[in-house]
Amino acid sequence: MSAQQVLFDAPGPRSRRNILIGNIIGAVLIVGLIGYLIMALAAQGQFAPEKWTPFLEWDTWRFFLLEGLLYTLRAAAISVVTSIVFGLIFGLGRLSHVAVIRWISGIVVEFFRAVPVLLMMIFFWLLLGTLDLLRPQDSPFAAVVLGLTLYNGSVIAELVRSGVYNLPKGQREAGLAIGMTRSQSLRSIEVPQALVAMLPALVSQFVVILKDSALGYIITYSELLAYSRRLGSGEGNIFQALIVAAVIFIIINFMLTTFATKLSGRLSFRTGGKTRKDKNEKVLVTDATNAG
């Protein structure tokens, strides 16, 4: 008996028929809604060739889409690196055996997790402009990176903490048994394994960073969304420009997720293979000792 059959009653013939009918009705409704939207857009001339032909020109991509994508990727890449550093520092701080460090790290992480990332971007944008620490054209970029770093770094810190807590207790006990301190066990044994285990969730957070970088448009940061709107305003096809920008985001996020899935599978395979190899070697040593 499967776990699903233990937790839930297996549907009978009548229930399966009702489920099938419900699925068919839902699919028909969705297809009908999509068809209605397409017809409404076509009636308004949104599929006219002249609204889409600008995206076949190299200048459109060179001066608008690729330029905006470059600024988006720059902000996202820097934010990913700084978020990881922030997450590791405060994630280890939440795991510290020193109560003061653990409490301070917990307060910092919970505070920045609770504050909306857009609110932090606006706050740092206004703060940097008031203090006049950077050039006016650099303040939006710095505010975007700071907002993304603090929010997503706090989420990563929580991932690190939960990842370490979900490891078998024998990992820490083995490190302590060979003379490691608790801090050395965390750095050398527990955190590396937790990072591999939480890699899918970590990459999902990277996708969030990439998408949230579009919020920089609100504080005048020129990224892909801002360039797309600028292009659409000039060509009179803002709807089409936003559709193309959305497709670009989808493609990049899909590539990132696919890469993370393959990397996670490879790391898991290597870890599992190494564990099996160590077990086999231990068995061979034991057999040789007994034979001797």
Side-chain angles (χ1 to χ4, degrees), residues 221-268:
Y221 178 61
S222 296
E223 39 70 61
L224 180 58
L225 179 60
Y227 272 89
S228 300
R229 290 178 63 91
R230 195 177 305 165
L231 171 65
S233 299
E235 297 288 342
N237 59 350
I238 191 168
F239 174 77
Q240 290 75 14
L242 294 178
I243 290 294
V244 172
V247 171
I248 293 174
F249 273 113
I250 291 172
I251 291 174
I252 295 176
N253 290 334
F254 176 77
M255 293 171 59
L256 183 61
T257 304
T258 302
F259 170 76
T261 302
K262 292 183 179 180
L263 179 62
S264 178
R266 244 179 226 186
L267 292 175
S268 299

Coordinates of all heavy atoms in Angstrom, one line a residue, residues 221-268:
Y221 N 16.0 53.6 -11.6 CA 17.1 52.8 -12.1 C 16.8 52.2 -13.5 O 15.8 51.6 -13.7 CB 17.4 51.6 -11.1 CG 18.5 50.7 -11.6 CD1 19.8 51.3 -11.7 CD2 18.3 49.4 -11.9 CE1 20.8 50.5 -12.2 CE2 19.4 48.6 -12.3 CZ 20.6 49.1 -12.4 OH 21.7 48.3 -12.9
S222 N 17.6 52.5 -14.4 CA 17.4 52.1 -15.8 C 17.8 50.6 -16.0 O 19.0 50.3 -16.2 CB 18.2 53.0 -16.8 OG 17.7 54.3 -16.7
E223 N 16.9 49.7 -15.9 CA 17.1 48.3 -16.2 C 16.2 47.9 -17.4 O 15.7 48.7 -18.1 CB 16.9 47.5 -15.0 CG 15.7 47.9 -14.1 CD 14.4 47.6 -14.7 OE1 14.1 46.4 -14.9 OE2 13.7 48.5 -15.0
L224 N 16.0 46.6 -17.5 CA 15.3 46.1 -18.7 C 13.9 46.6 -18.8 O 13.4 47.0 -19.9 CB 15.3 44.5 -18.6 CG 14.6 43.8 -19.8 CD1 15.2 44.2 -21.1 CD2 14.6 42.3 -19.6
L225 N 13.2 46.7 -17.7 CA 11.8 47.1 -17.7 C 11.7 48.6 -18.1 O 10.9 49.0 -18.9 CB 11.1 47.0 -16.3 CG 9.7 47.4 -16.2 CD1 8.8 46.7 -17.2 CD2 9.2 47.2 -14.7
A226 N 12.7 49.4 -17.6 CA 12.7 50.9 -17.9 C 13.0 51.1 -19.4 O 12.3 51.9 -20.0 CB 13.7 51.6 -17.0
Y227 N 14.0 50.3 -19.9 CA 14.3 50.4 -21.3 C 13.2 50.0 -22.2 O 12.9 50.5 -23.3 CB 15.6 49.7 -21.6 CG 16.8 50.5 -21.4 CD1 17.5 50.5 -20.1 CD2 17.4 51.2 -22.4 CE1 18.6 51.2 -19.9 CE2 18.6 51.9 -22.2 CZ 19.2 51.9 -21.0 OH 20.3 52.7 -20.8
S228 N 12.5 48.9 -21.8 CA 11.3 48.4 -22.5 C 10.2 49.4 -22.6 O 9.6 49.7 -23.7 CB 10.8 47.1 -22.0 OG 11.8 46.1 -22.0
R229 N 9.9 50.0 -21.5 CA 8.9 51.1 -21.5 C 9.3 52.3 -22.3 O 8.5 52.9 -23.0 CB 8.6 51.5 -20.0 CG 7.9 50.5 -19.2 CD 7.6 50.9 -17.8 NE 6.8 52.1 -17.8 CZ 5.5 52.1 -17.7 NH1 4.9 50.9 -17.6 NH2 4.7 53.2 -17.7
R230 N 10.6 52.6 -22.3 CA 11.1 53.7 -23.1 C 10.9 53.4 -24.6 O 10.5 54.2 -25.4 CB 12.5 54.0 -22.7 CG 13.1 55.3 -23.2 CD 14.5 55.5 -22.7 NE 14.5 55.4 -21.2 CZ 15.7 55.2 -20.6 NH1 16.8 55.1 -21.2 NH2 15.6 55.1 -19.3
L231 N 11.3 52.2 -24.9 CA 11.1 51.7 -26.3 C 9.7 51.8 -26.7 O 9.3 52.2 -27.8 CB 11.7 50.3 -26.5 CG 11.5 49.6 -27.8 CD1 12.2 50.4 -28.9 CD2 11.9 48.2 -27.8
G232 N 8.8 51.2 -25.9 CA 7.4 51.2 -26.2 C 6.8 52.5 -26.4 O 5.9 52.8 -27.2
S233 N 7.2 53.5 -25.5 CA 6.7 54.8 -25.6 C 7.1 55.5 -26.9 O 6.3 56.3 -27.5 CB 7.2 55.7 -24.4 OG 6.7 55.1 -23.2
G234 N 8.3 55.2 -27.4 CA 8.7 55.8 -28.6 C 8.1 55.2 -29.9 O 7.9 55.9 -30.8
E235 N 7.9 53.9 -29.8 CA 7.4 53.2 -31.0 C 5.9 53.0 -31.0 O 5.3 52.6 -32.0 CB 8.0 51.8 -31.1 CG 9.5 51.8 -31.3 CD 9.9 52.2 -32.7 OE1 9.1 52.2 -33.6 OE2 11.1 52.6 -32.9
G236 N 5.2 53.4 -29.9 CA 3.8 53.2 -29.8 C 3.4 51.7 -29.6 O 2.2 51.4 -30.0
N237 N 4.2 50.9 -29.1 CA 3.9 49.5 -28.9 C 4.4 49.0 -27.5 O 5.1 48.1 -27.3 CB 4.6 48.6 -29.9 CG 6.1 48.8 -30.0 OD1 6.7 49.7 -29.3 ND2 6.8 48.0 -30.7
I238 N 4.0 49.7 -26.5 CA 4.4 49.4 -25.1 C 4.0 48.0 -24.6 O 4.7 47.4 -23.9 CB 3.9 50.5 -24.1 CG1 4.7 50.4 -22.8 CG2 2.4 50.5 -24.0 CD1 4.5 51.6 -21.9
F239 N 2.8 47.6 -25.1 CA 2.3 46.3 -24.7 C 3.3 45.2 -25.3 O 3.7 44.3 -24.6 CB 0.9 46.1 -25.2 CG 0.4 44.7 -25.1 CD1 0.0 44.2 -23.8 CD2 0.4 43.8 -26.1 CE1 -0.5 42.9 -23.7 CE2 -0.1 42.5 -26.0 CZ -0.5 42.1 -24.7
Q240 N 3.7 45.4 -26.5 CA 4.6 44.4 -27.2 C 5.9 44.4 -26.5 O 6.6 43.4 -26.4 CB 4.7 44.7 -28.7 CG 3.4 44.4 -29.5 CD 2.3 45.4 -29.3 OE1 2.5 46.5 -28.7 NE2 1.1 45.1 -29.7
A241 N 6.4 45.6 -26.2 CA 7.7 45.8 -25.5 C 7.7 45.0 -24.2 O 8.7 44.4 -23.8 CB 8.1 47.2 -25.4
L242 N 6.7 45.2 -23.4 CA 6.6 44.5 -22.1 C 6.5 43.0 -22.3 O 7.1 42.2 -21.5 CB 5.4 45.0 -21.3 CG 5.5 46.5 -20.9 CD1 4.3 46.9 -20.1 CD2 6.7 46.7 -20.0
I243 N 5.8 42.5 -23.3 CA 5.7 41.1 -23.6 C 7.1 40.5 -23.9 O 7.5 39.5 -23.4 CB 4.8 40.8 -24.8 CG1 3.3 41.1 -24.3 CG2 4.9 39.4 -25.2 CD1 2.8 40.1 -23.3
V244 N 7.9 41.2 -24.8 CA 9.2 40.8 -25.1 C 10.1 40.8 -23.8 O 10.9 39.8 -23.6 CB 9.8 41.7 -26.2 CG1 11.3 41.4 -26.4 CG2 9.0 41.5 -27.5
A245 N 10.0 41.8 -23.0 CA 10.8 41.9 -21.8 C 10.4 40.7 -20.9 O 11.3 40.1 -20.2 CB 10.6 43.2 -21.0
A246 N 9.1 40.4 -20.8 CA 8.7 39.2 -19.9 C 9.3 37.9 -20.5 O 9.7 37.1 -19.7 CB 7.2 39.2 -19.9
V247 N 9.3 37.8 -21.8 CA 9.9 36.5 -22.4 C 11.4 36.4 -22.1 O 11.9 35.3 -21.8 CB 9.6 36.5 -23.9 CG1 10.4 35.4 -24.6 CG2 8.1 36.4 -24.2
I248 N 12.1 37.6 -22.1 CA 13.5 37.5 -21.8 C 13.7 37.1 -20.3 O 14.6 36.3 -20.0 CB 14.1 38.9 -22.0 CG1 14.1 39.3 -23.5 CG2 15.5 39.0 -21.5 CD1 14.6 40.7 -23.8
F249 N 12.9 37.6 -19.4 CA 13.0 37.2 -18.0 C 12.7 35.7 -17.9 O 13.4 35.0 -17.1 CB 12.0 38.0 -17.2 CG 12.6 39.3 -16.7 CD1 12.0 40.5 -17.1 CD2 13.6 39.4 -15.7 CE1 12.5 41.7 -16.7 CE2 14.1 40.6 -15.3 CZ 13.5 41.8 -15.7
I250 N 11.7 35.2 -18.6 CA 11.3 33.8 -18.5 C 12.5 32.9 -19.0 O 12.8 31.9 -18.3 CB 10.0 33.6 -19.3 CG1 8.8 34.2 -18.6 CG2 9.8 32.1 -19.4 CD1 7.6 34.2 -19.4
I251 N 13.1 33.3 -20.1 CA 14.2 32.5 -20.6 C 15.3 32.5 -19.7 O 15.9 31.4 -19.4 CB 14.6 33.1 -22.0 CG1 13.5 32.8 -23.0 CG2 15.9 32.4 -22.5 CD1 13.7 33.5 -24.4
I252 N 15.7 33.6 -19.1 CA 16.9 33.6 -18.2 C 16.6 32.8 -17.0 O 17.4 32.0 -16.5 CB 17.2 35.1 -17.9 CG1 17.7 35.8 -19.1 CG2 18.3 35.1 -16.8 CD1 18.0 37.3 -18.9
N253 N 15.4 33.0 -16.4 CA 15.1 32.2 -15.2 C 15.0 30.7 -15.5 O 15.4 29.9 -14.6 CB 13.7 32.7 -14.7 CG 13.8 34.1 -14.1 OD1 14.9 34.5 -13.6 ND2 12.7 34.8 -14.1
F254 N 14.5 30.4 -16.7 CA 14.4 28.9 -17.0 C 15.9 28.4 -17.1 O 16.1 27.3 -16.7 CB 13.7 28.8 -18.3 CG 13.7 27.3 -18.8 CD1 12.8 26.4 -18.3 CD2 14.5 27.0 -19.9 CE1 12.8 25.1 -18.7 CE2 14.5 25.7 -20.3 CZ 13.6 24.7 -19.8
M255 N 16.8 29.1 -17.8 CA 18.1 28.7 -17.9 C 18.8 28.5 -16.6 O 19.5 27.6 -16.3 CB 18.9 29.6 -18.8 CG 18.5 29.6 -20.3 SD 19.2 31.0 -21.2 CE 21.0 30.6 -21.0
L256 N 18.6 29.5 -15.7 CA 19.1 29.4 -14.3 C 18.6 28.2 -13.6 O 19.4 27.5 -12.9 CB 18.8 30.7 -13.6 CG 19.4 30.9 -12.2 CD1 21.0 30.9 -12.3 CD2 19.0 32.2 -11.6
T257 N 17.3 28.0 -13.6 CA 16.7 26.9 -12.9 C 17.2 25.5 -13.4 O 17.5 24.6 -12.7 CB 15.2 26.9 -13.0 OG1 14.8 28.2 -12.5 CG2 14.6 25.8 -12.2
T258 N 17.3 25.4 -14.8 CA 17.8 24.2 -15.4 C 19.3 23.9 -15.0 O 19.6 22.8 -14.6 CB 17.7 24.3 -16.9 OG1 16.4 24.6 -17.3 CG2 18.2 23.0 -17.6
F259 N 20.1 25.0 -15.0 CA 21.5 24.8 -14.6 C 21.6 24.4 -13.1 O 22.4 23.5 -12.8 CB 22.2 26.1 -14.8 CG 23.6 26.1 -14.2 CD1 24.7 25.5 -14.8 CD2 23.8 26.8 -13.0 CE1 25.9 25.5 -14.2 CE2 25.1 26.8 -12.4 CZ 26.1 26.2 -13.0
A260 N 20.8 24.9 -12.3 CA 20.8 24.6 -10.8 C 20.3 23.1 -10.6 O 20.9 22.4 -9.8 CB 19.9 25.5 -10.1
T261 N 19.3 22.7 -11.4 CA 18.9 21.3 -11.3 C 19.9 20.3 -11.7 O 20.2 19.3 -11.0 CB 17.6 21.1 -12.2 OG1 16.6 22.1 -11.8 CG2 17.1 19.7 -12.0
K262 N 20.6 20.6 -12.8 CA 21.7 19.7 -13.2 C 22.9 19.7 -12.2 O 23.5 18.7 -11.9 CB 22.2 20.1 -14.6 CG 21.2 19.9 -15.7 CD 21.7 20.2 -17.0 CE 20.7 20.0 -18.1 NZ 21.2 20.3 -19.5
L263 N 23.2 20.9 -11.7 CA 24.3 21.0 -10.7 C 24.0 20.3 -9.4 O 24.8 19.6 -8.9 CB 24.6 22.5 -10.4 CG 25.7 22.8 -9.4 CD1 27.0 22.3 -9.9 CD2 25.8 24.3 -9.2
S264 N 22.7 20.5 -9.0 CA 22.3 19.8 -7.7 C 22.4 18.3 -7.9 O 22.8 17.5 -7.0 CB 20.9 20.2 -7.4 OG 20.4 19.5 -6.2
G265 N 21.9 17.8 -9.1 CA 22.0 16.3 -9.4 C 23.4 15.8 -9.4 O 23.7 14.7 -8.9
R266 N 24.3 16.6 -10.0 CA 25.7 16.2 -10.0 C 26.3 16.2 -8.7 O 27.0 15.2 -8.3 CB 26.5 17.2 -10.9 CG 27.0 16.5 -12.2 CD 27.7 17.5 -13.0 NE 27.3 17.4 -14.4 CZ 27.9 18.0 -15.4 NH1 28.8 18.9 -15.2 NH2 27.5 17.8 -16.6
L267 N 26.1 17.2 -7.9 CA 26.7 17.2 -6.5 C 26.1 16.1 -5.7 O 26.8 15.5 -4.9 CB 26.4 18.6 -5.9 CG 27.1 19.8 -6.5 CD1 26.6 21.1 -5.8 CD2 28.6 19.7 -6.4
S268 N 24.8 15.9 -5.8 CA 24.2 14.8 -5.0 C 24.8 13.4 -5.4 O 25.0 12.6 -4.6 CB 22.7 14.8 -5.2 OG 22.1 16.0 -4.7

